[in-house]
Amino acid sequence: EIKRRTGHSYDSIERYLWDFSRVICLRERGMPLPAIRQATGMSRRVVAKYLKLYERFNHPDYAFPMARVRRMVEANPPPKKDRTNPPGEVMTMRDGKSTQNRYSALPARDVELVALSHIKERFELAPKSHIAEEAVRRTSEALEAYEAEQGTERLKPGEMLIEHEGRPVKVPLLSPKWARRLAEGLSVTAVRRHLEYEQLQRLAEVFEDATLENLWRWVDQKELARSRSAKSGDFMPDEPLDAGSLGVIARRPGDITLPESVLLPVATSLAEDYGVKPALARAMAEAIAQVRQWCCPRVQELDPGQAVWLSYSTKRGKRGSPRLLVPVVLTLLTPDEQAMTITTRTDLKALKMRQIERITAEAWQQDAVLTMLDLEWLLGVNGAFVRQMLDAYHERFGVLLPTAGTILDMGRTLTHKTIVVEMSLSGLSTQEIARRIYHSPEAVDQYLKTFDRLLVLRHFGLPKKLMVQVTGHSLSLIEEHLAIADKHFPTTEALTQYLTSRGVDLEEAG
């Protein structure tokens, strides 16, 4: 009835009633308007309107409907917010089936699938568009045939460029074939051994006497670090990396210069077979060609030691669309690191620490982030090792390196929201915190607002479960923030003083 009378959607109506219920809940627990505004994040004007409605309907004549409204916040979960589909553990494969293991997302790191995702978003096509799939397949085949004739060599995502006696060699760090085998359950050790064999074969094409040791210097340095070192060996750099000194320029899909004989037949076949308008068919073919050339740079564009990898974009797509994968060029080994002598575990840790801080910053400067799985696979180490490196770096320099766990809230790699609050309470400004955790100042302020809201609720004695209902935050996040509150504000007076210093009015205006 409300929908019919107002023209609003069901979601909007549910949200209005939910907000009204939250305001009633907090008001009846003694919270004044300024504190309710702070705790809910609503504007003062909206809260005032809800309180006026509360005064009007808080009457025995409306006891039953008001009881229903009161129960909303206490008995039901918060309405789900629309969110872009974050990259997670469950991914849809080519055959439409879903798998669920930590390697199930790897098969999506395929140039054709990435091109398909980009053109679906750009041209607003259906999630399972047969026309889009055919456009990608036909354009890819036409481009591969043309570049084979021209002798153009490109580095595909998952490949690394190495050099031996001045001759470039492309070696696979991960290929679509082995990504699928990992997703199907084949062991990591088996896949790495298969890839090692393929890498050695590639190297042997330019160097007949190539050995595994020659290969390991480029792709698996842990095999060289056979000597133990003292546990106290320092592997940290003297200073944190200055990301601005990297000089990374993000690659973008650019204009392409291809003869008409390449894309015109593709556009024509799409128009004839599927009834696509010729102009649209041509635009789709050109867009696919742009994405492919963006994902596969020419060998001449890269330096030895660099690799191309498909990573999750930090930019949000259109509302409701999944987060897109974008290509990044990562410097896995600099010339100095290529010449390093690695014999001990300390040598290995020093190298891996440099690699981690550099490639996470490089990905960030290219509007992308690496997951923990990306770091493990690119560096040939396990997850515990990567976490140890990240924790040590943060402890030494107070800098939180950008990963998917800290930027996109994928998993619980590091509790960066807690870190933001701790940094703020230690006296760092929003700008300083943003620089140290590779976030925008707006994101930092949002984390601090969440902390302040929970402190307001704590001040007025709301139990944890009701905080979950009022705010929509998880119980674990609330418990983390309340633990910080207990640590820094052990008394009611200290908590009141902090909230007052943050501009929170805890008393009703006269």
Side-chain angles (χ1 to χ4, degrees):
E1 290 175 321
I2 296 171
K3 182 179 186 298
R4 187 171 62 251
R5 291 189 182 191
T6 64
H8 287 280
S9 67
Y10 289 115
D11 289 342
S12 297
I13 294 168
E14 186 180 8
R15 174 61 62 182
Y16 298 150
L17 292 174
W18 179 266
D19 287 344
F20 183 40
S21 178
R22 290 197 296 161
V23 170
I24 292 175
C25 173
L26 299 180
R27 183 62 165 180
E28 292 185 341
R29 281 164 175 74
M31 292 180 64
L33 187 153
I36 295 175
R37 182 200 65 78
Q38 180 73 30
T40 60
M42 302 182 211
S43 69
R44 187 183 186 90
R45 180 179 63 85
V46 170
V47 174
K49 284 188 175 183
Y50 281 139
L51 290 177
K52 190 174 181 180
L53 286 170
Y54 172 64
E55 292 172 3
R56 174 183 170 186
F57 291 104
N58 189 30
H59 187 274
D61 292 345
Y62 301 99
F64 180 69
M66 284 295 288
R68 288 198 323 184
V69 172
R70 285 187 179 94
R71 278 181 53 80
M72 285 187 68
V73 75
E74 297 180 1
N76 302 307
K80 292 183 179 180
K81 299 178 182 178
D82 290 332
R83 298 182 62 184
T84 54
N85 221 8
E89 293 181 346
V90 180
M91 296 291 291
T92 301
M93 315 299 281
R94 284 180 181 270
D95 59 2
K97 297 180 181 179
S98 294
T99 58
Q100 189 167 6
N101 67 49
R102 72 186 304 252
Y103 300 104
S104 60
L106 289 180
R109 315 293 179 93
D110 181 282
V111 176
E112 289 193 10
L113 293 179
V114 171
L116 191 61
S117 299
H118 279 267
I119 68 162
K120 281 180 182 177
E121 179 173 85
R122 178 170 172 178
F123 295 98
E124 299 182 352
L125 302 174
K128 294 184 179 179
S129 171
H130 184 63
I131 294 175
E133 293 176 358
E134 276 300 301
V136 170
R137 184 183 65 80
R138 297 181 187 191
T139 304
S140 300
E141 289 177 355
L143 283 174
E144 288 177 1
Y146 171 73
E147 292 187 339
E149 290 179 3
Q150 299 297 312
T152 303
E153 280 196 84
R154 294 184 179 275
L155 212 67
K156 296 178 181 179
E159 290 185 331
M160 177 183 181
L161 184 66
I162 68 176
E163 186 180 67
H164 184 77
E165 297 181 354
R167 297 181 63 183
V169 184
K170 298 182 294 182
V171 297
L173 300 178
L174 184 64
S175 63
K177 169 188 173 182
W178 295 113
R180 288 192 293 272
R181 295 301 304 275
L182 278 170
E184 291 166 359
L186 187 63
S187 73
V188 173
T189 302
V191 171
R192 285 197 182 277
R193 288 294 168 257
H194 282 292
L195 282 168
E196 185 177 74
Y197 174 76
E198 292 181 9
Q199 293 163 355
L200 188 60
Q201 289 294 103
R202 293 273 189 97
L203 184 58
E205 290 175 5
V206 299
F207 177 39
E208 293 183 359
D209 298 328
T211 64
L212 280 173
E213 187 169 344
N214 298 134
L215 180 65
W216 289 339
R217 295 199 60 82
W218 290 95
V219 299
D220 197 3
Q221 297 83 12
K222 70 177 183 296
E223 295 292 345
L224 303 174
R226 293 300 184 181
S227 302
R228 292 184 175 273
S229 54
K231 291 185 178 181
S232 59
D234 189 10
F235 57 87
M236 298 296 292
D238 295 332
E239 297 290 338
L241 176 70
D242 177 11
S245 67
L246 294 174
V248 175
I249 300 177
R251 301 177 70 253
R252 305 289 184 209
D255 295 332
I256 56 174
T257 54
L258 293 170
E260 285 293 306
S261 60
V262 179
L263 297 183
L264 184 58
V266 175
T268 303
S269 66
L270 290 173
E272 292 177 351
D273 296 344
Y274 296 97
V276 182
K277 293 182 179 179
L280 176 59
R282 177 58 184 260
M284 289 175 63
E286 288 183 350
I288 295 165
Q290 287 177 347
V291 173
R292 282 187 61 84
Q293 294 190 2
W294 177 37
C295 292
C296 305
R298 290 176 297 178
V299 170
Q300 298 88 333
E301 298 177 42
L302 274 65
D303 296 322
Q306 290 188 319
V308 184
W309 198 255
L310 291 169
S311 307
Y312 289 109
S313 173
T314 56
K315 294 184 177 180
R316 291 187 180 274
K318 296 176 183 177
R319 188 172 181 177
S321 64
R323 193 176 293 276
L324 295 175
L325 289 162
V326 296
V328 292
V329 175
L330 305 173
T331 308
L332 297 184
L333 289 172
T334 64
D336 289 342
E337 291 164 356
Q338 295 167 25
M340 281 181 63
T341 299
I342 300 173
T343 56
T344 67
R345 296 290 294 176
T346 299
D347 295 335
L348 179 67
K349 286 184 175 181
L351 171 63
K352 296 303 172 184
M353 189 71 262
R354 291 184 191 178
Q355 289 178 307
I356 289 173
E357 68 170 348
R358 182 175 58 251
I359 65 177
T360 52
E362 286 180 335
W364 171 258
Q365 291 185 332
Q366 295 173 74
D367 301 322
V369 283
L370 301 173
T371 65
M372 290 292 288
L373 185 55
D374 291 337
L375 291 171
E376 292 172 33
W377 202 266
L378 287 166
L379 304 180
V381 294
N382 59 42
F385 185 95
V386 175
R387 284 188 287 273
Q388 178 191 359
M389 296 292 101
L390 293 171
D391 289 345
Y393 196 86
H394 177 250
E395 184 178 350
R396 173 70 66 88
F397 301 118
V399 175
L400 197 61
L401 293 172
T403 64
T406 58
I407 303 297
L408 305 182
D409 286 331
M410 288 177 61
R412 300 182 57 78
T413 323
L414 288 170
T415 53
H416 58 289
K417 297 179 180 67
T418 303
I419 291 171
V420 167
V421 173
E422 289 282 8
M423 286 181 173
S424 176
L425 294 176
S426 69
L428 294 180
S429 68
T430 296
Q431 294 292 341
E432 290 173 319
I433 296 171
R435 189 169 59 251
R436 291 192 178 196
I437 68 169
Y438 289 85
H439 277 58
S440 67
E442 292 78 14
V444 172
D445 283 336
Q446 191 60 43
Y447 296 152
L448 296 177
K449 285 179 182 177
T450 298
F451 181 61
D452 290 347
R453 288 172 187 166
L454 295 175
L455 290 187
V456 171
L457 297 177
R458 177 62 169 266
H459 177 81
F460 285 92
L462 264 73
K464 294 177 185 178
K465 289 186 177 180
L466 192 54
M467 290 185 188
V468 172
Q469 298 292 84
V470 169
T471 64
H473 296 309
S474 67
L475 179 60
S476 60
L477 174 65
I478 290 172
E479 288 177 340
E480 282 182 9
H481 283 340
L482 294 183
I484 298 175
D486 292 339
K487 173 183 174 183
H488 291 274
F489 314 113
T491 64
T492 303
E493 292 75 14
L495 180 59
T496 302
Q497 184 178 1
Y498 171 78
L499 289 173
T500 303
S501 70
R502 293 284 291 175
V504 180
D505 190 353
L506 300 173
E507 297 182 1
E508 190 75 73

